[in-house]
Amino acid sequence: MEKTVSTDFRIVEEPRKPLAMNPKKFALWLFIATVVMLFAALTSAYIVKRADGSWREFELPGIFIYSTIAVVLSSLTMQGAYAAAKKDNLAGTKWLIVATAILGGFFLVGQVLGWGKLITEGVYFAGGNTSESFVYLLTGLHGLHLVSAIIFLAIVLIAVFRFKVHSRSLNQIEMCVTYWHFLGGLWIYLYIFMLNFR
């Protein structure tokens, strides 16, 4: 009697591996990448237009230094809020988030006062020279993103009051910390860029 070899093959699907990153965090990183590309394009255009030869040079408002200090301090308070949440210190988390929002507000006020100073010096958004428009565009777009970050802070603060942010539920505050630090770093880049390419 001859033995027959079975050639029956079964395709077994391997179980799908879970995503390595939370979908909301992934979406945040995609958004950050988009913002990076936007500001990279704007600063590249800034350099190209500056080489045209019709570039007007002017001093940046001194208050932008205080805006920069406010944004650096706000990154420290935001990191402190995250550290407090990891330790289930919800009272500390609340106060540090509020402090971060206040410093963010100081930053925005500093930007508006800086624009006022530019206007008194005859530097206008549509003043006829591209260099003038770029300063308003770069600072204004960054300020708009910072407003969105302050709204995000308010959402996280509400979540803390509802006990939805704690040591076992850090996703929301981690995303807020990432976005806040990104915007702080972006401002420092823009400020140094504008100082060196006036």
Side-chain angles (χ1 to χ4, degrees):
M1 246 182 152
E2 290 185 8
K3 291 183 179 177
T4 56
V5 178
S6 173
T7 56
D8 225 6
F9 292 102
R10 289 184 183 178
I11 298 173
V12 179
E13 288 187 13
E14 290 186 20
R16 292 183 180 180
K17 293 180 181 177
L19 291 173
M21 183 182 284
N22 180 292
K24 288 181 181 178
K25 284 185 181 179
F26 182 70
L28 175 67
W29 280 108
L30 280 180
F31 177 70
I32 286 173
T34 304
V35 174
V36 167
M37 287 188 287
L38 170 66
F39 280 95
L42 287 172
T43 51
S44 297
Y46 183 108
I47 291 168
V48 170
K49 290 300 287 181
R50 187 174 181 271
D52 281 351
S54 59
W55 194 258
R56 178 184 171 188
E57 293 188 8
F58 52 87
E59 292 294 318
L60 289 175
I63 199 162
F64 282 180
I65 294 169
Y66 299 106
S67 294
T68 305
I69 292 168
V71 89
V72 169
L73 291 175
S74 73
S75 274
L76 295 175
T77 55
M78 188 72 242
Q79 192 62 41
Y82 175 67
K86 280 177 75 174
K87 294 176 182 175
D88 286 324
N89 177 3
L90 299 188
T93 305
K94 291 170 193 173
W95 285 112
L96 287 164
I97 288 174
V98 169
T100 304
I102 290 169
L103 287 165
F106 282 154
F107 175 85
L108 291 173
V109 168
Q111 299 301 90
V112 172
L113 292 174
W115 292 342
K117 179 71 173 165
L118 288 171
I119 290 167
T120 60
E121 293 175 2
V123 178
Y124 302 102
F125 177 70
N129 194 292
T130 313
S131 63
E132 299 172 15
S133 302
F134 265 114
V135 170
Y136 285 99
L137 187 62
L138 292 172
T139 57
L141 275 176
H142 179 269
L144 188 63
H145 285 91
L146 197 76
V147 168
S148 73
I150 291 173
I151 293 168
F152 195 179
L153 276 176
I155 292 167
V156 172
L157 185 60
I158 291 166
V160 174
F161 273 101
R162 292 179 177 172
F163 303 104
K164 291 183 178 178
V165 173
H166 47 77
S167 61
R168 292 174 304 282
S169 180
L170 294 169
N171 190 50
Q172 202 171 25
I173 196 167
E174 282 175 355
M175 290 171 60
C176 194
V177 168
T178 300
Y179 189 44
W180 196 269
H181 287 334
F182 164 69
L183 290 177
L186 178 61
W187 169 252
I188 291 168
Y189 160 73
L190 290 173
Y191 184 56
I192 292 170
F193 177 85
M194 289 186 293
L195 281 175
N196 289 304
F197 291 97
R198 282 198 302 266

